[in-house]
Amino acid sequence: MKILAIETSCDETALSIVNFSSKKKFEVLSDSVLSQIEIHKEYGGVYPAVAKREHTNNIFPLLLASLKKAGMLEKRKNPLKNPVLLVKKLEKVLDRDKQNLENIVHLLCTYKKPKIDVVAVTYGPGLEIALWTGFNVARALSVIWNTVLIPTNHMEGHIYSSLINENKKGVFEILKPKFPLISLLISGGHTDLVLSKSEGKYNIIGTTLDDAVGEAYDKSARLMGISYPGGPEVSKLAESWNSKVKSNITLPRPMIHKDNFDFSFSGLKTAVLYLVKAEEKKGKLKKSFKQELAAEFEDSVSEVLTKKTKKAIEKYGAKSLIIGGGVSANNRLRKEFQTLSDNENIDLFLPSKKYTGDNALMIAVAGYFNFKNNTYKKSAKKVDGNLKLK
Ligand code: KG4
Ligand code: ZN
């Protein structure tokens, strides 16, 4: 079964075409991510209207390139007879995106229908203005190709991205976790602890009350003069700090002793702000100060995340642990969760570095399972920026 998946929830336009040969195995026919990071850098974060403009401009060229790479872009020999009805339908779906309306009509009239069985698309959570571009193009494709449309949850995608395993021969398989399963989802918009008692069932047992972990990384980085997204750079600074030297900096461990699974990271960022302000009074921030601060910041984050996750594992008798989302690229956290899962004697699933950030492969896989299990939302007409896992 061949799936085309589209992801436009934030600042990456991503498109993937995969072929599932069995319930567990699949082949990747094309997989591309067009990042807008360089463009958003000057705004210090993702600027929604610019994200939308970039998705709108990039999605069609990316679609054509992906179909070509997958060997699915074949010109029609004869012009399409009477596409009036289809064009009318397309006009309704893409009434706010004239550029892609024109593009999709061109696709319909110029190229043969590719052998795509299902179109999956992220419909939340994320920036609604950005989600709409991918969602409407996906809907339009499902109209002209007459395929099923699977609206997919971005966070479920991050869970599945930790279960993707690529062997040395380039064959992809989906690993099967044992249940109960705890997933810790850490990204720019989320810090969620999720309990699953069976495949495709989610119960959010804890979440952030304010900033997400990735957001705290990015905001603290900005205070240290590091441009967006600062998470990876803060992490590098922390790694370069000599941990044998006793640190003079102490940051809070927000909510670490609270008897629940919720998080709060805005206080951590404020504490960073005060320390930076005090240090700036002495002059330009020194590299050693930034390294020390970053190391303490990462200590705090990793202590809070591992302690709460450990508590959740023990309370629910979890047999597997998934770590997903952009922040799961962090080396320190990967190490800490490896140690935690060894100590707790449970299986750990970390995404390969290639799939920690936003991508469409994870949407293809999540879409596939929702299609197979018939758990997808039929005839979805809207995106949902605050979509929750259920
Ligand atoms: O999942 P993602 O790509 O986008 C969202 O859905 O939000 O996550 C992006 C977040 C950013 O905040 C970025 O700074 C953070 O992941 N991030 C990291 C690292 N790599 C990316 N944070 C800490 N350490 C890293 N190595
Ligand atoms: Zn994400």
Side-chain angles (χ1 to χ4, degrees):
M1 199 180 89
K2 297 192 177 76
I3 302 187
L4 179 143
I6 298 178
E7 154 69 41
T8 63
S9 69
C10 192
D11 56 352
E12 258 102 28
T13 318
L15 223 140
S16 197
I17 303 176
V18 306
N19 182 19
F20 274 87
S21 49
S22 75
K23 250 187 168 171
K24 276 173 68 181
K25 286 205 166 63
F26 66 94
E27 193 189 344
V28 177
L29 304 178
S30 81
D31 183 37
S32 320
V33 180
L34 254 181
S35 174
Q36 306 168 4
I37 281 179
E38 287 307 316
I39 298 164
H40 293 288
K41 256 186 185 158
E42 62 180 288
Y43 302 99
V46 180
Y47 195 83
V50 174
K52 182 196 165 76
R53 182 195 72 201
E54 292 301 306
H55 287 310
T56 305
N57 288 339
N58 292 338
I59 197 162
F60 192 70
L62 197 63
L63 172 67
L64 287 186
S66 302
L67 288 170
K68 190 167 179 206
K69 176 130 199 271
M72 292 180 170
L73 196 66
E74 216 187 311
K75 284 219 164 133
R76 286 179 185 278
K77 290 204 177 74
N78 304 307
L80 192 67
K81 276 187 211 129
N82 212 6
V84 180
L85 265 179
L86 275 181
V87 172
K88 276 229 160 77
K89 274 192 192 166
L90 286 179
E91 279 168 353
K92 269 197 195 149
V93 173
L94 288 165
D95 64 334
R96 299 220 181 152
D97 184 352
K98 298 288 177 236
Q99 184 177 337
N100 282 310
L101 171 64
E102 218 173 273
N103 287 336
I104 302 290
V105 171
H106 169 73
L107 182 79
L108 170 71
C109 296
T110 317
Y111 297 97
K112 284 187 185 165
K113 175 185 175 329
K115 289 195 169 58
I116 297 282
D117 304 292
V118 166
V119 176
V121 63
T122 306
Y123 79 122
L127 291 172
E128 288 202 353
I129 190 173
L131 286 161
W132 273 115
T133 306
F135 183 69
N136 281 338
V137 167
R139 280 172 77 204
L141 294 177
S142 76
V143 167
I144 62 166
W145 296 339
N146 195 21
T147 58
V148 177
L149 180 77
I150 313 281
T152 304
N153 185 311
H154 179 82
M155 301 317 287
E156 188 175 28
H158 275 304
I159 290 177
Y160 275 107
S161 76
S162 304
L163 298 174
I164 296 173
N165 183 45
E166 182 184 3
N167 74 15
K168 287 196 182 92
K169 288 181 189 150
V171 176
F172 287 76
E173 59 169 350
I174 308 292
L175 304 171
K176 289 270 171 192
K178 292 187 206 120
F179 295 93
L181 156 74
I182 292 287
S183 301
L184 173 70
L185 303 178
I186 40 179
S187 69
H190 287 79
T191 311
D192 292 338
L193 265 169
V194 185
L195 168 70
S196 300
K197 291 192 174 160
S198 59
E199 185 177 288
K201 294 267 182 284
Y202 308 102
N203 175 13
I204 300 178
I205 56 168
T207 190
T208 178
L209 304 179
D210 40 59
D211 292 353
V213 192
E215 197 178 350
Y217 260 100
D218 296 340
K219 287 179 175 170
S220 300
R222 199 170 168 186
L223 293 168
M224 290 185 236
I226 300 161
S227 64
Y228 173 83
E233 193 56 37
V234 169
S235 170
K236 270 190 215 145
L237 278 170
E239 279 172 25
S240 65
W241 167 251
N242 181 356
S243 57
K244 289 192 188 91
V245 178
K246 194 177 165 342
S247 175
N248 292 314
I249 296 177
T250 317
L251 287 170
R253 269 61 177 155
M255 294 183 78
I256 199 161
H257 298 302
K258 274 261 157 60
D259 196 21
N260 60 27
F261 296 110
D262 290 333
F263 303 92
S264 161
F265 289 103
S266 76
L268 187 56
K269 167 206 67 196
T270 310
V272 169
L273 169 75
Y274 288 133
L275 285 169
V276 167
K277 282 233 157 99
E279 192 67 15
E280 276 172 347
K281 283 200 181 127
K282 298 182 206 159
K284 195 169 167 268
L285 294 184
K286 288 204 191 88
K287 180 155 185 210
S288 60
F289 169 79
K290 290 193 206 173
Q291 287 170 309
E292 190 174 352
L293 183 58
E296 171 64 8
F297 178 87
E298 208 151 274
D299 275 354
S300 167
V301 166
S302 90
E303 268 179 50
V304 172
L305 291 179
T306 47
K307 178 135 195 204
K308 294 250 166 176
T309 307
K310 179 176 190 289
K311 222 162 72 180
I313 291 169
E314 289 170 359
K315 175 163 181 188
Y316 295 101
K319 295 197 172 115
S320 315
L321 172 64
I322 281 180
I323 312 293
V327 184
S328 67
N330 185 280
N331 290 330
R332 166 80 184 276
L333 290 173
R334 292 171 84 93
K335 242 203 302 206
E336 296 287 349
F337 283 111
Q338 189 59 62
T339 308
L340 177 67
S341 73
D342 290 346
N343 292 343
E344 297 286 320
N345 200 18
I346 70 169
D347 296 336
L348 173 69
F349 298 90
L350 284 167
S352 76
K353 287 262 177 120
K354 208 166 144 193
Y355 303 118
T356 52
D358 292 345
N359 63 85
L361 195 60
M362 67 185 198
I363 302 304
V365 176
Y368 171 78
F369 279 94
N370 280 302
F371 178 70
K372 277 275 158 210
N373 299 333
N374 198 19
T375 45
Y376 63 97
K377 193 173 173 183
K378 278 117 199 147
S379 67
K381 297 233 162 18
K382 274 202 306 209
V383 302
D384 180 356
N386 294 313
L387 186 68
K388 299 273 181 291
L389 278 170
K390 269 196 264 191

